[in-house]
Amino acid sequence: MTPTENFNALGLSLPPAPSPLGVYKPCLIDGKYLYLSGHGPVQDDKSLIIGRIGVEFDMEKGKLAARQVGLTMLSTIVANLGSLDKVKRVIKVLGMVNCSPDFERHPYIINGASELFAKIWGEENGIGVRSAVGMGSLPDNIPVEIEALFELH
C-alpha cells in the first residue's frame, strides 16, 4: 500500500497546515531531502493543544498531543508536496517535550508521532533516527514540538 492508502486506512483526519507565525519556512526541499520546521499540535479547528506534560497532561494525553503534531506535519507535507507518496522515508526526528522538571519519559511522548510515521511509511521507512528531549517551555505553552528530515523519491 502507498503512504496515502496507509493514512486513509487509519481513519484519521489532517488538521489545516499551519502558516508560519515567525520568520521561517514550514518546509524546505534541498535536493532529495525535505526539512520540516518545528511543528506544534494543531487541531482541526486551527487551535493549538496547550499545556505541560506532568502538569496539565498525563503521559497518555502527551502522547496523543505528539500524534497530533505528527498529523500537523503530514498536513504540511500534503499542502506543499501534494501527496504523502512523494516521501520515501523518515530520516531524523527531533521531539521536544514541554514538561515539569521531574518528568523523564520524553521518548514515550514522542512515540505518538513516531508510531504514526511507522504506520504511514512502514517500519523500514517510517522509523528514522530520533532525539526526544525535555524543555522548560515551548511556544504558546504547547506540550510538544517536533521537527523532522525526510528523504524524497
Side-chain angles (χ1 to χ4, degrees):
M1 289 179 42
T2 68
T4 299
E5 291 169 339
N6 290 338
F7 176 78
N8 291 337
L10 294 174
L12 300 171
S13 64
L14 293 179
S19 299
L21 298 176
V23 184
Y24 68 93
K25 296 178 180 183
C27 67
L28 177 76
I29 296 173
D30 181 19
K32 66 178 184 172
Y33 298 106
L34 171 67
Y35 295 82
L36 287 189
S37 292
H39 279 62
V42 176
Q43 300 180 95
D44 290 345
D45 66 0
K46 296 186 181 181
S47 68
L48 293 169
I49 296 172
I50 302 296
R52 296 182 80 196
I53 313 299
V55 180
E56 291 89 1
F57 294 147
D58 63 14
M59 287 192 341
E60 294 309 315
K61 286 187 179 177
K63 187 175 179 183
L64 287 173
R67 182 181 79 171
Q68 193 64 33
V69 175
L71 290 169
T72 304
M73 297 172 86
L74 297 179
S75 182
T76 293
I77 292 171
V78 170
N80 288 275
L81 274 66
S83 172
L84 298 175
D85 301 340
K86 294 186 178 180
V87 172
K88 179 179 179 181
R89 68 180 173 140
V90 177
I91 293 178
K92 169 98 172 97
V93 171
L94 169 60
M96 296 161 275
V97 180
N98 181 12
C99 58
S100 59
D102 60 335
F103 187 78
E104 299 176 344
R105 302 282 311 275
H106 313 102
Y108 181 84
I109 302 300
I110 301 305
N111 280 345
S114 296
E115 290 168 2
L116 174 66
F117 294 163
K119 289 176 183 172
I120 300 298
W121 287 285
E123 290 198 12
E124 181 65 29
N125 290 321
I127 299 173
V129 297
R130 185 182 86 174
S131 298
V133 297
M135 299 288 174
S137 68
L138 286 174
D140 297 320
N141 200 34
I142 57 175
V144 179
E145 181 175 347
I146 300 173
E147 66 177 50
L149 172 62
F150 300 87
E151 183 180 357
L152 301 172
H153 282 286

